Amino acid sequence: MTASTRTPYGSRTLTVLAAVALALLVTLTACAPGSSAPPAASSAQPSPSAVRTDAKALGNVTLTVWDQEVRGGQAAQMKRLNAAFEAAYPNIRLNRVSRSFDDLNTTLRLALSGNEPPDVVEANNGRSSMGAFVKAGQLRPLDAYAEAYGWKERYPDSVLRYSRYSADGKLFGEGDLYGLPQVGEVVGLYYNAAKLTELGLRPPKTWAEFGAALAKAKGAGQVPLQLGNLDKWPAIHVFGTVQSRDVPAEQIGTLAFGRKGASWNTPENVKAAEQLAGWAGKGYFNEGFNGQGYDAAWQAFGKGEGVFLIAGTWLLADLHKALGDDLGFILPPGATPDAAPVATGGTGLPFAITAKSPNPDAAAAYIDFITSADAMKVLTDTGNLPVADTGKQTVPAGPQQDVFTAFGTVTERNGLVPYLDYATPTFADTLGAALQDLLAGKASPQEFLATLEKDYKAFAESNG
């Protein structure tokens, strides 16, 4: 998520109040490039042989766990897995603190800097969160646990890279492992099948068909695309979807991971920005979308307001509950029906162990439990998308199968591109604000991209 983010990601999910914006501004300033970092408290790793994996032999332990699994299917899987963990390990009591994505982002930095932080936290993969925590020595590297528990066999490198940082927090996507996710994520097109039928349409098989469907929906008095962009990050997913129709995947990866060697000022990015601004100008989004919260938007879509919604697979359980089999999901279509799939995505927020936790072995046992093969079945049962063993799950035909098939297809063909807000420690705020201006007509596509280029270049050129 983000944004994901992400999520939300990874992802990236609930309403932002003015106080949150202020807190994020302080946060991003604190972790800007060039600021000095305190000694890394988590730099020394135990060897795999020193790790204790017999959780029942750890004595009586209370683990404090902070997560953002607050919505229906997400909350259900955590409740089931936590109960099963405590039943399997009666000597370990869980003190769960569940917060919205934005509340977690706002309070986690303060909690990690205190003397008694939580033991296990869900930390956004991005540089402004996990990267800053790694730089500050506030998270424990998990490679010894990964070796002891076999996490490297459970997860492919393409998944683990979303939780890897160099010890100084500079390089994202390589280095030590700092977290383990439960869910996979991909951003695609949700659609209301009943509305498509009313309009005489079918799920689009090409990007041109999608554009024609938006125009027809608008002409029929429908809301073509539901969007709530008060939180700023939701439009990042929409722009990423448009961008990946024309910008090569490897260029998006270079930009999103903040590496040198790419530029936002390209004809392909101009085309993407022009198309997104054009959608706003044609009235393809719901009225007042820049002032509407994310939750309000997807809930409105669930009530039948809108033909399409560009969003991540984390909304599956809630939207399926609302729309039933009228809900459909497809990957963003390409120029032709057989075009290679490309979509924004990755993993949900990883579960990490704090550097000051007095119970790292118990914390690692908990993370292992909630990401095990059995846990992946629980995630499936509760309408979530497991990041591992996805192809081994049995799901009924309909929206859930649509999502599982889409994720399997795009991962098998290496079509996932990272969330754009990963690029720099300040890029989530930079890109989110710039997109609000672009969509409101306050900035031209060229001005929009110049803003992104300035942030990206300043970071990439100084980050080694």
Side-chain angles (χ1 to χ4, degrees):
M1 167 128 348
T2 119
S4 199
T5 332
R6 256 218 11 183
T7 301
Y9 99 177
S11 27
R12 306 159 180 276
T13 49
L14 298 173
T15 52
V16 173
L17 302 176
V20 173
L22 178 59
L24 285 176
L25 178 61
V26 173
T27 292
L28 295 173
T29 302
C31 64
S35 62
S36 60
S42 59
S43 58
Q45 292 197 58
S47 66
S49 61
V51 167
R52 295 180 296 171
T53 58
D54 184 1
K56 292 181 179 178
L58 297 177
N60 293 328
V61 173
T62 297
L63 278 181
T64 297
V65 179
W66 281 22
D67 69 65
Q68 59 98 50
E69 309 300 309
V70 296
R71 289 195 300 270
Q74 294 173 316
Q77 63 95 0
M78 288 305 298
K79 184 176 180 180
R80 283 178 57 176
L81 289 175
N82 284 351
F85 179 81
E86 288 185 318
Y89 304 104
N91 58 308
I92 302 178
R93 186 180 75 85
L94 298 176
N95 174 29
R96 181 190 179 205
V97 178
S98 181
R99 301 174 183 270
S100 74
F101 173 81
D102 291 315
D103 286 345
L104 185 68
N105 271 351
T106 303
T107 57
L108 188 53
R109 182 174 301 278
L110 182 61
L112 291 182
S113 64
N115 292 325
E116 296 183 0
D119 297 283
V120 177
V121 298
E122 266 190 296
N124 194 320
N125 319 54
R127 293 180 184 275
S128 61
S129 294
M130 180 175 277
F133 302 152
V134 169
K135 182 179 180 181
Q138 294 169 334
L139 298 181
R140 181 180 297 268
L142 304 181
D143 296 270
Y145 292 110
E147 191 71 27
Y149 281 108
W151 292 345
K152 294 178 183 179
E153 287 71 46
R154 183 182 301 173
Y155 288 77
D157 289 339
S158 60
V159 169
L160 293 179
R161 71 171 181 160
Y162 286 96
S163 301
R164 289 195 182 279
Y165 276 93
S166 58
D168 57 9
K170 285 188 174 183
L171 294 181
F172 183 18
E174 58 185 80
D176 295 330
L177 182 69
Y178 285 94
L180 211 60
Q182 285 185 304
V183 298
E185 295 179 351
V186 61
V187 175
L189 308 184
Y190 285 102
Y191 62 88
N192 186 319
K195 286 189 175 293
L196 286 184
T197 299
E198 290 175 12
L199 293 168
L201 298 172
R202 62 179 182 176
K205 293 184 178 181
T206 67
W207 193 244
E209 285 186 10
F210 179 54
L214 295 178
K216 188 166 186 178
K218 177 63 178 177
Q222 298 281 354
V223 174
L225 265 172
Q226 186 67 240
L227 175 64
N229 197 40
L230 176 64
D231 313 85
K232 297 184 180 180
W233 64 261
I236 296 176
H237 295 171
V238 180
F239 176 69
T241 297
V242 176
Q243 179 199 39
S244 59
R245 300 312 90 197
D246 292 295
V247 180
E250 61 271 17
Q251 289 186 25
I252 295 175
T254 301
L255 290 168
F257 278 122
R259 302 283 198 268
K260 295 179 182 178
S263 174
W264 288 95
N265 292 322
T266 65
E268 294 84 4
N269 278 312
V270 170
K271 181 179 178 181
E274 287 176 343
Q275 183 168 64
L276 185 61
W279 285 357
K282 294 174 182 176
Y284 285 175
F285 297 112
N286 45 293
E287 187 175 350
F289 61 88
N290 256 348
Q292 177 172 260
Y294 177 71
D295 282 346
W298 68 256
Q299 288 167 1
F301 180 78
K303 295 174 182 177
E305 299 174 24
V307 180
F308 292 99
L309 172 73
I310 296 178
T313 46
W314 53 85
L315 288 177
L316 170 65
D318 295 300
L319 289 177
H320 190 195
K321 182 178 180 180
L323 286 174
D325 288 340
D326 280 338
L327 179 70
F329 182 88
I330 57 172
L331 292 173
T336 62
D338 58 352
V342 180
T344 300
T347 76
L349 270 62
F351 284 82
I353 301 176
T354 60
K356 292 181 182 178
S357 169
N359 308 298
D361 291 328
Y366 173 74
I367 292 175
D368 181 70
F369 189 90
I370 64 172
T371 59
S372 66
D374 288 339
M376 296 300 108
K377 294 178 182 178
V378 172
L379 287 163
T380 301
D381 290 344
T382 50
N384 296 281
L385 177 65
V387 72
D389 292 338
T390 312
K392 297 180 181 179
Q393 310 303 321
T394 301
V395 296
Q400 190 175 18
Q401 191 176 86
D402 291 347
V403 164
F404 275 56
T405 298
F407 185 72
T409 298
V410 75
T411 52
E412 287 167 10
R413 299 182 66 179
N414 295 316
L416 281 182
V417 293
Y419 294 104
L420 297 175
D421 53 299
Y422 288 168
T424 81
T426 56
F427 210 71
D429 186 60
T430 298
L431 178 54
L435 279 168
Q436 279 205 330
D437 287 344
L438 176 71
L439 289 167
K442 296 179 180 179
S444 69
Q446 290 76 14
E447 290 170 334
F448 161 73
L449 293 170
T451 299
L452 307 189
E453 183 79 354
K454 181 179 180 180
D455 190 332
Y456 166 71
K457 286 291 187 183
F459 177 78
E461 296 299 324
S462 66
N463 197 44

